[in-house]
Amino acid sequence: MKTVKTSALVLAMAGVFATSANAQSAKANPWEGFYAEAAVGWGQFNPTISSASIQTARGTLPVTTQQDNLSSGKNKIGLGYTFGIDDKYTLGIAASYSLGASSAANGSFWVTGSPSTAKWFKYQIKDVWSVTLNPGYAIDKDKLAYAKVGMTGNTMGINGQTANYQTVNFTGYVLGLGYKQLVTKSIYVLGEVNYAGISSKTATIQTSSGPLTGNVGGSGVDVMVGLGYKF
């Protein structure tokens, strides 16, 4: 009888320890951990060009520019890690990159006061990247709402009537709102809206008439939907 009681006590203690170990190892928040995702969508970039001038044989001449906003399909691939602060709140760190280049938008420039001398150019956006912090709120075990704040950058490619293809790199900030919904234990769908502000910088493009210089910047917005996998 003593042996039976001892065995029962050992089994009970083992059960307690196992339950305790499982409780400690269980994630405080179901969204905690590494993830990978891919998304597609639509975006618009609104460029700004100011204080433009061109260096010619006659000297430095002021230039007027006109450029269309760029609307194009978008994509991104991303990796990240989500920390579970508690069972409701999360904090993620994420990085993303867009493959390929956008479609092209049109523009033109001319020496101020001489619109009849206008020359056309085209520009596109590629190599868009971002690194963000993503605070989130788990609505329940299957739903996560989150915000995004961080840095972004892109490369603008330009060519035109008097200029061969050239590129200029830009950086700025990005803000966003998103939502994720688990459809299996690991696979989720997502939706995001993002806004980016690109810092103005002095950029120079070589043309057949001479170097064209201006302060270039802009802003953009995109709407994305996609799939992700939570490890």
Side-chain angles (χ1 to χ4, degrees):
M1 179 68 68
K2 185 176 180 180
T3 301
V4 172
K5 290 182 178 180
T6 301
S7 298
L9 180 60
V10 170
L11 289 173
M13 291 177 65
V16 170
F17 286 131
T19 301
S20 176
N22 288 334
Q24 291 178 6
S25 63
K27 294 178 179 179
N29 190 296
W31 291 95
E32 185 175 358
F34 288 98
Y35 65 86
E37 59 191 28
V40 296
W42 171 91
Q44 178 170 296
F45 180 71
N46 307 318
T48 60
I49 303 176
S50 62
S51 303
S53 63
I54 189 167
Q55 183 69 42
T56 71
R58 294 183 292 159
T60 302
L61 303 176
V63 166
T64 300
T65 67
Q66 178 279 322
Q67 53 280 336
D68 297 337
N69 295 333
L70 192 161
S71 296
S72 179
K74 289 195 64 178
N75 69 76
K76 75 167 187 176
I77 55 174
L79 296 172
Y81 186 89
T82 299
F83 298 91
I85 298 174
D86 57 25
D87 62 339
K88 286 295 184 182
Y89 293 96
T90 64
L91 180 62
I93 182 169
S96 70
Y97 181 79
S98 295
L99 302 173
S102 71
S103 57
N106 298 314
S108 60
F109 71 93
W110 58 89
V111 174
T112 301
S114 301
S116 61
T117 64
K119 308 297 184 184
W120 64 264
F121 68 87
K122 294 180 179 291
Y123 75 96
Q124 62 180 178
I125 301 297
K126 63 179 183 177
D127 298 333
V128 180
W129 59 267
S130 70
V131 178
T132 61
L133 288 175
N134 302 354
Y137 177 77
I139 300 170
D140 60 32
K141 63 183 180 63
D142 296 328
K143 304 177 181 68
L144 178 71
Y146 58 96
K148 298 171 62 178
V149 57
M151 294 181 60
T152 186
N154 64 53
T155 297
M156 180 183 292
I158 304 172
N159 73 299
Q161 187 173 346
T162 59
N164 296 324
Y165 185 81
Q166 299 164 62
T167 60
V168 182
N169 296 322
F170 294 90
T171 58
Y173 68 90
V174 61
L175 304 172
L177 294 173
Y179 173 80
K180 295 179 180 181
Q181 169 78 58
L182 282 168
V183 293
T184 71
K185 184 178 179 180
S186 296
I187 298 174
Y188 60 86
V189 295
L190 68 93
E192 286 185 356
V193 177
N194 300 294
Y195 173 86
I198 300 302
S199 301
S200 180
K201 65 179 288 185
T202 301
T204 298
I205 300 298
Q206 301 298 325
T207 76
S208 60
S209 301
L212 175 64
T213 301
N215 295 327
V216 182
S219 62
V221 63
D222 63 49
V223 179
M224 310 287 286
V225 294
L227 286 173
Y229 186 88
K230 183 173 67 69
F231 295 94

